[in-house]
Amino acid sequence: MSKERGEALPVHVHQGEERQDGLEKANENLRSAQAELQRRWQYLAEAQRLSHSGTFGWKVNSGELDWSDETYSILGFTRETNLTLDLVFDRIHPDDRERLRLLKGLATKDGMDLDDEHRLVMPDGVVKHVHVVAHAGFDSSGNREYIGVVTDITERKRDEKERQALSRDLRESNARLEEAQSVAHVGHWEWDLETGVVVWSDETYRIFGLRPQERPMDIATVRAIVHPDDRESLYGGVDVDLVAGVNPVAEFRIVLSSGDVRTVHAITSERGRGMSDDSEKEAFGRPRKLFGTVQDVTERKRSDEERQSLSRKLEESNARLEEAQRVAQLGYWIWDLETNRVTFSNETCRIYGLKPQEDPIDLETIRELIHPEDREYVFENAERAVRDGVPIETEHRLIRANGEVRTVYSPGDLKRDASGRPYQMFGTCQDITDRKRAEETLKQTQFYLSEGQRLAHIGTWAFNDSSHYWSDELYAICGLDPKSGAPTVEEYLALVHPQDRASTAENIRLMQEEHRGFDHIERIVRPDGQMRYVRCVAVPVVEHGVFKGFVGTTMDITEQELLTLELRREEAYLAEAQSLTHAGSWACNLVTREIFHSSDENARLYGFNPSQGPIPFEPFYNAILPEDEQTIRAKLENAIIAGADYDVEFRIRRTDGAIRFLRGIGHHSPSQEIGEYVGITMDITDRKHAAKERERLRQLEADLAHINRVNMMGELAAALAHEIKQPLAASITSANALLRWLAHDPPDLERARAAADRIEQDANRAADVINSLQSFYKTGTLPKRQIVDVKEIIAEMTVLLRGEADRHSITIHFEREGETPEIMADRVQLQQVFMNLMLNAIEAMKGAGGKLTIRLRSNPEGRLIVSISDTGIGLRTENDEQIFAPFHTTKSQGTGMGLTITRSIVESYGGHIWATNNQEAGATFHFSLPSKVEASA
């Protein structure tokens, strides 16, 4: 029907309809274009919102501004605001405003493009960072206008600050992206999955070992660069992640053309997805492009490995630190000043005797663990530290639960908040019990050392290039003040005696230059002028082959040195005396036959040369004559067994063949080893010869005395014969006459009686002759008497008879009981009494030796009683008076007159003499003498 109408309508009608249709179609196209435009504007607005970027237009001449919604949002204005540049400049940060005004002026004048970052201050005080990019152009009227984009980069700025140390990727703009990638070794890439084209940034080329934009890339080329061992896992993992809807992240190796292997980290994101129409059904929901970054993390991997290694080492270090704390008994503590509770480390818990725990401990519990005597001190220090804001440092004792007392050292310091208020105290706790004990021991040892140095007069010193140390005793030895410090070498040399200074200086020079030690004696002159002898010993100190300095001692040996000098003089005197007396000294062990000492004279006695050095025991012993050796050996063995002294005489044959008589005396101390003796050896050859000669002379004297006694007896007999011959002859004649008168018959009694009277007279006359001889000492002129000291007479007689007694191995002893009276006597006669009685005692002990004892005492009547005892054979007769009779003797050569004369002398003083046998052995002769008072009366 329409066709029919059309055929009937005129041409212009048909033309109008065509125009109408064209117009409607144009309108439809316009609406479609507008819808498309609107959709694009919506996309743009959304894109601006998502990217925080807004667009703007600025007509320079009119100042008219045209902003997108996002621009209003970024600058903090609403659509209702009447926009002007002044309002915009009011929002610009004061520090950036002037620069923007200058930039505006240049834009107005030159029409330059704009690219600037600056800050905005929002009404609420928030500061934003914006990036403005604008292009200058002209509108349809020919007026200059700017079209641009403003981007809120506040978050990016913030993110850049936070990630500044890690990465530089994607900084302010695409223009600086490559630079950031170069700096951060991060490149980006884009892979078109439909075409297979790969687009790389310059840095990506560099990462893969290629020159930037050297050649176009495709996936096959990229795949070839990936390390063969990583290809399948890389691309397979990307496919899995894309299907799962997550952005793939991979780390893989690449092999550069140089053969170098690098490790890269790649992050992939989707660029866009395919449309869901029928023509692209297979690709529905799949990305068309992949975009990503690639970063060379080779160095980071190495750093990570190093960090991991460091982390392991740190863990090991922490473990070692924990172990070190345990070994060093050092823990830490944290005191919360607000809660008043303390947190202990494990080691601190162990120090306090507690089980390790993480929960804080109440302060009162800790207070109870501190020793009561230290508790107040510790907490006062803690309160003072908190109050004054100063560190704390305490040393106190604590008592563990088992009662053990430990000493700890605990320093601490305050921690403060932003306002400066202390809120916590952190400190350490170290168990120093052993150290304290060691310090006490060290102090005691140092005291003992110092006291020992003082007592021994030994000072110590140390010397190196940087310091010089002297002990107190060394200052005292040198007479210096410790306050002045150790003297220099020059100052010390000034103390040295001038005669020793050169040698001392040379020793010090060698010590310093050659690092050698020394040991020498020198003299010093103290400041007070006193001279002292000192012995200096230096020892070099070397550690691991490195010379460190010297240590040494200085000993005051003045007394020892003076004593040594005196000893040397005495040794010289002794050596000279030994040489003059032919006596040598020695010390040896007779069992081990080891000689400790043998004087020079001792060697010379045997004919040895002392200058040839030490002489062993055998040459000395082998010099003894064989006939004497057995006797000597027996005596020495007996002495060694008994641990007793010995005195032996023996003969030796000297090295020159001469025979000498020697006497050896050995002394053994109980403190010595078995067989150790000290003694002397004397050459008694001359004394032996002299003794032999004296014995011969003594024998001659005895023979002469015997002859004299015989002659005296002869003379006495002649005198007696002469004196009694006549009375005896007359008695005989009268006796013959008596016999004749009695023979008469009858007997002539008168004449016989007369003859008998004559016989009696003649006999009495003979007796008178004998009595006159017997009382010779009685009838003579009385000797002159005086007060005598009996003790002196005994001493004189002892000295006089000592040789006789020694010859017969007899010892003489004197004893006195209490006070004895003085007597009046003739000194010579009293000496004769003592000599007769002491000689008789010696005669009684000849051949056996013994002991002669002289005793003095007084009796109740005040008389002096003298007793002379021996240990001889004793008296042989029961009639004690008979021994005092004239001519009575028990000795083969005796005259029988000694005791008679002795009794005569004693009785001449009014005294009395008698003899008794001892209970054990020997006899005792006693005599009494009146005291001085009795004698004078």
Side-chain angles (χ1 to χ4, degrees):
M1 181 175 181
S2 299
K3 183 177 178 182
E4 292 178 351
R5 287 180 59 191
E7 292 176 353
L9 292 176
V11 174
H12 68 274
V13 175
H14 288 289
Q15 291 177 346
E17 290 177 354
E18 291 176 357
R19 284 196 298 269
Q20 182 66 31
D21 291 339
L23 182 59
E24 289 178 359
K25 188 174 183 180
N27 287 334
E28 184 179 353
N29 291 335
L30 178 61
R31 284 193 299 270
S32 176
Q34 287 177 343
E36 179 65 24
L37 181 61
Q38 183 65 31
R39 187 170 62 253
R40 291 180 181 271
W41 274 108
Q42 289 175 354
Y43 291 159
L44 180 60
E46 184 64 15
Q48 289 184 7
R49 186 185 66 80
L50 293 175
S51 64
H52 300 291
S53 299
T55 59
F56 66 90
W58 171 37
K59 294 186 181 293
V60 177
N61 293 336
S62 64
E64 181 184 352
L65 297 174
D66 184 13
W67 288 358
S68 67
D69 291 341
E70 186 60 26
T71 303
Y72 277 97
S73 175
I74 291 173
L75 272 65
F77 293 102
T78 63
R79 283 284 183 182
E80 291 76 18
T81 305
N82 185 16
L83 297 177
T84 63
L85 280 179
D86 292 336
L87 288 176
V88 175
F89 273 93
D90 288 341
R91 290 286 168 90
I92 296 175
H93 194 284
D95 294 343
D96 299 341
R97 193 173 296 157
E98 186 62 30
R99 179 172 57 81
L100 265 296
R101 290 188 186 278
L102 293 175
L103 191 60
K104 172 194 170 187
L106 292 174
T108 303
K109 180 179 179 182
D110 298 335
M112 56 179 281
D113 291 343
L114 300 178
D115 187 346
D116 183 66
E117 288 184 5
H118 56 271
R119 292 165 292 176
L120 301 177
V121 181
M122 298 293 103
D124 58 0
V126 175
V127 177
K128 286 186 177 181
H129 290 262
V130 295
H131 180 207
V132 177
V133 179
H135 175 68
F138 296 95
D139 60 11
S140 57
S141 303
N143 295 320
R144 181 176 289 125
E145 67 174 352
Y146 279 88
I147 304 298
V149 177
V150 57
T151 304
D152 186 347
I153 61 172
T154 303
E155 294 299 327
R156 191 184 75 191
K157 280 290 188 180
R158 186 178 297 114
D159 293 342
E160 285 177 355
K161 289 182 180 179
E162 294 176 354
R163 297 192 302 270
Q164 193 172 16
L166 302 175
S167 168
R168 300 287 183 182
D169 44 336
L170 301 177
R171 281 220 172 172
E172 289 111 11
S173 65
N174 290 332
R176 303 171 66 180
L177 179 60
E178 285 297 330
E179 181 65 21
Q181 290 180 354
S182 176
V183 172
H185 298 292
V186 176
H188 69 268
W189 51 269
E190 188 177 68
W191 178 16
D192 190 327
L193 298 178
E194 296 178 353
T195 64
V197 175
V198 178
V199 178
W200 278 1
S201 67
D202 291 347
E203 185 61 24
T204 305
Y205 275 96
R206 284 190 286 268
I207 291 173
F208 278 78
L210 302 173
R211 290 193 305 274
Q213 308 305 322
E214 176 181 339
R215 58 182 176 176
M217 285 290 115
D218 53 42
I219 193 60
T221 303
V222 176
R223 187 182 183 92
I225 299 176
V226 175
H227 194 285
D229 295 341
D230 296 346
R231 287 173 191 163
E232 295 302 326
S233 60
L234 171 63
Y235 291 101
V238 170
D239 291 339
V240 172
D241 289 340
L242 290 176
V243 172
V246 296
N247 291 333
V249 177
E251 193 171 282
F252 56 94
R253 293 167 295 173
I254 60 175
V255 182
L256 306 186
S257 58
S258 62
D260 189 16
V261 178
R262 309 291 291 180
T263 302
V264 296
H265 181 77
I267 301 175
T268 302
S269 66
E270 300 177 1
R271 195 69 167 182
R273 290 186 175 269
M275 303 301 294
S276 58
D277 53 16
D278 294 338
S279 62
E280 298 181 357
K281 186 177 291 186
E282 292 182 356
F284 176 77
R286 293 179 59 83
R288 293 181 299 160
K289 291 183 180 181
L290 295 179
F291 176 85
T293 61
V294 61
Q295 183 177 12
D296 186 345
V297 295
T298 305
E299 301 302 328
R300 192 188 73 186
K301 287 288 288 185
R302 292 173 182 169
S303 299
D304 289 343
E305 292 174 356
E306 291 177 358
R307 281 196 298 272
Q308 290 175 1
S309 175
L310 290 175
S311 178
R312 288 193 300 271
K313 291 181 180 178
L314 180 60
E315 291 175 358
E316 294 172 357
S317 177
N318 289 335
R320 287 194 293 269
L321 177 61
E322 189 70 23
E323 182 65 14
Q325 289 183 2
R326 187 187 65 79
V327 173
Q329 297 181 314
L330 175 66
Y332 69 84
W333 50 266
I334 302 172
W335 176 19
D336 190 325
L337 302 179
E338 296 180 356
T339 64
N340 221 22
R341 294 174 69 83
V342 181
T343 301
F344 276 1
S345 70
N346 291 344
E347 185 58 29
T348 305
C349 288
R350 283 190 286 268
I351 291 173
Y352 274 76
L354 303 174
K355 292 182 179 179
Q357 52 188 316
E358 296 181 358
D359 296 333
I361 305 172
D362 188 72
L363 196 62
E364 194 59 33
T365 302
I366 298 174
R367 179 190 292 271
E368 292 301 320
L369 292 174
I370 296 176
H371 195 286
E373 296 178 3
D374 299 343
R375 198 172 291 158
E376 184 177 354
Y377 149 74
V378 171
F379 281 89
E380 281 183 357
N381 266 1
E383 292 170 0
R384 177 182 56 82
V386 175
R387 182 182 64 251
D388 299 341
V390 296
I392 185 175
E393 189 172 346
T394 61
E395 186 177 297
H396 62 86
R397 294 164 293 172
L398 56 87
I399 303 177
R400 291 177 173 174
N402 61 2
E404 184 182 7
V405 177
R406 307 295 292 180
T407 303
V408 298
Y409 169 71
S410 184
D413 202 358
L414 292 170
K415 290 188 176 182
R416 304 174 184 274
D417 58 18
S419 64
R421 181 180 63 86
Y423 68 93
Q424 189 182 84
M425 180 177 284
F426 178 86
T428 61
C429 176
Q430 184 175 18
D431 187 341
I432 60 171
T433 306
D434 296 337
R435 190 185 77 188
K436 290 293 289 184
R437 291 172 183 168
E439 287 176 354
E440 291 299 324
T441 303
L442 180 60
K443 288 180 182 178
Q444 192 175 37
T445 302
Q446 288 176 338
F447 170 75
Y448 291 154
L449 178 61
S450 177
E451 190 66 11
Q453 289 186 6
R454 185 185 65 81
L455 295 175
H457 302 295
I458 298 177
T460 57
W461 54 269
F463 174 81
N464 56 35
D465 294 338
S466 60
S467 63
H468 195 179
Y469 160 79
W470 273 27
S471 68
D472 292 341
E473 183 59 25
L474 185 51
Y475 283 106
I477 291 173
C478 294
L480 301 177
D481 187 358
K483 296 179 180 178
S484 302
T488 63
V489 173
E490 291 73 18
E491 291 171 340
Y492 178 76
L493 287 175
L495 292 173
V496 178
H497 193 282
Q499 295 178 359
D500 299 341
R501 193 171 295 157
S503 61
T504 301
E506 179 64 14
N507 281 333
I508 294 176
R509 184 188 68 79
L510 294 175
M511 177 188 77
Q512 292 176 328
E513 294 180 359
E514 301 182 9
H515 299 162
R516 69 164 64 171
F518 61 79
D519 184 347
H520 68 91
I521 296 174
E522 63 195 30
R523 292 167 292 176
I524 60 171
V525 182
R526 290 176 173 175
D528 59 3
Q530 186 179 12
M531 186 185 74
R532 308 297 292 178
Y533 287 86
V534 296
R535 179 186 177 188
C536 300
V537 179
V539 178
V541 178
V542 179
E543 295 181 1
H544 306 295
V546 179
F547 172 74
K548 297 295 185 179
F550 285 92
V551 294
T553 60
T554 297
M555 181 188 301
D556 187 342
I557 59 170
T558 304
E559 284 71 20
Q560 296 94 315
E561 192 67 17
L562 294 177
L563 185 62
T564 300
L565 294 175
E566 181 64 25
L567 183 61
R568 288 172 182 168
R569 284 194 295 271
E570 292 182 359
E571 286 179 349
Y573 297 155
L574 178 61
E576 185 66 20
Q578 288 185 1
S579 177
L580 294 175
T581 59
H582 301 294
S585 59
W586 50 265
C588 76
N589 189 313
L590 298 177
V591 175
T592 63
R593 299 197 168 193
E594 180 183 3
I595 295 179
F596 309 122
H597 160 72
S598 177
S599 68
D600 293 348
E601 186 60 24
N602 190 54
R604 284 192 286 266
L605 292 178
Y606 286 81
F608 300 131
N609 186 357
S611 63
Q612 294 180 351
I615 303 170
F617 180 89
E618 283 70 18
F620 285 104
Y621 191 79
N622 294 336
I624 301 174
L625 293 183
E627 49 268 34
D628 293 349
E629 189 273 333
Q630 291 185 353
T631 304
I632 295 300
R633 184 172 67 245
K635 289 184 178 180
L636 294 182
E637 289 176 350
N638 293 334
I640 293 171
I641 294 172
D645 299 344
Y646 67 83
D647 187 343
V648 294
E649 294 182 1
F650 54 93
R651 291 168 296 169
I652 65 166
R653 187 182 303 277
R654 290 170 46 132
T655 55
D656 57 3
I659 304 297
R660 306 295 291 179
F661 287 86
L662 300 182
R663 180 186 179 190
I665 301 175
H667 170 70
H668 175 76
S669 174
S671 62
Q672 293 175 307
E673 296 291 334
I674 297 176
E676 284 191 9
Y677 283 83
V678 294
I680 60 172
T681 300
M682 297 174 287
D683 187 339
I684 59 173
T685 304
D686 295 339
R687 193 175 74 185
K688 277 287 186 180
H689 293 164
K692 186 176 181 180
E693 186 66 23
R694 282 196 302 272
E695 182 64 23
R696 190 179 67 81
L697 292 176
R698 190 191 66 78
Q699 188 63 40
L700 291 174
E701 289 175 353
D703 294 344
L704 181 60
H706 179 68
I707 292 173
N708 288 336
R709 285 196 292 270
V710 170
N711 291 337
M712 183 181 68
M713 290 299 295
E715 292 176 359
L716 180 60
L720 287 173
H722 181 271
E723 291 294 331
I724 65 176
K725 185 175 182 181
Q726 290 180 347
L728 288 177
S731 295
I732 293 172
T733 301
S734 297
N736 291 328
L738 175 60
L739 292 174
R740 285 196 304 276
W741 297 128
L742 290 175
H744 286 182
D745 187 16
D748 191 348
L749 297 177
E750 278 299 322
R751 290 186 178 181
R753 187 179 295 110
D757 289 337
R758 287 195 298 274
I759 291 173
E760 179 183 9
Q761 292 174 359
D762 291 335
N764 287 332
R765 188 154 61 90
D768 290 340
V769 171
I770 294 173
N771 288 335
S772 65
L773 291 173
Q774 181 180 355
S775 60
F776 172 78
Y777 288 101
K778 290 183 179 180
T779 58
T781 304
L782 289 175
K784 183 179 179 181
R785 298 183 181 182
Q786 59 183 352
I787 297 174
V788 295
D789 188 343
V790 179
K791 297 188 295 298
E792 290 184 0
I793 293 176
I794 293 172
E796 292 170 355
M797 292 300 100
T798 299
V799 172
L800 184 63
L801 299 177
R802 177 73 70 186
E804 185 71 12
D806 290 343
R807 186 162 57 251
H808 299 292
S809 301
I810 297 172
T811 59
I812 301 176
H813 298 272
F814 169 67
E815 298 177 359
R816 186 177 70 169
E817 299 178 5
E819 295 295 329
T820 54
E822 295 180 338
I823 62 171
M824 297 283 291
D826 179 75
R827 186 179 188 86
V828 176
Q829 288 184 344
L830 202 56
Q831 286 176 345
Q832 187 173 1
V833 170
F834 275 100
M835 178 176 286
N836 285 339
L837 295 178
M838 292 173 70
L839 281 173
N840 283 345
I842 291 172
E843 287 284 342
M845 293 183 286
K846 277 185 177 180
K851 179 179 179 181
L852 190 156
T853 305
I854 304 170
R855 294 184 180 88
L856 292 181
R857 64 184 178 86
S858 60
N859 65 4
E861 290 78 22
R863 287 196 163 206
L864 177 67
I865 306 299
V866 180
S867 300
I868 299 175
S869 303
D870 62 67
T871 57
I873 59 177
L875 301 175
R876 298 181 181 178
T877 176
E878 295 180 356
N879 187 358
D880 297 339
E881 290 296 325
Q882 185 180 358
I883 61 176
F884 296 105
F887 308 115
H888 175 80
T889 181
T890 59
K891 296 179 286 187
S892 59
Q893 297 179 346
T895 63
M897 297 298 293
L899 289 177
T900 302
I901 296 172
T902 297
R903 186 170 67 174
S904 299
I905 295 174
V906 171
E907 291 179 351
S908 70
Y909 292 114
H912 176 62
I913 186 169
W914 69 100
T916 60
N917 272 317
N918 298 332
Q919 290 183 354
E920 295 181 357
T924 302
F925 283 80
H926 312 272
F927 67 89
S928 65
L929 293 174
S931 65
K932 176 184 69 174
V933 176
E934 185 180 352
S936 60

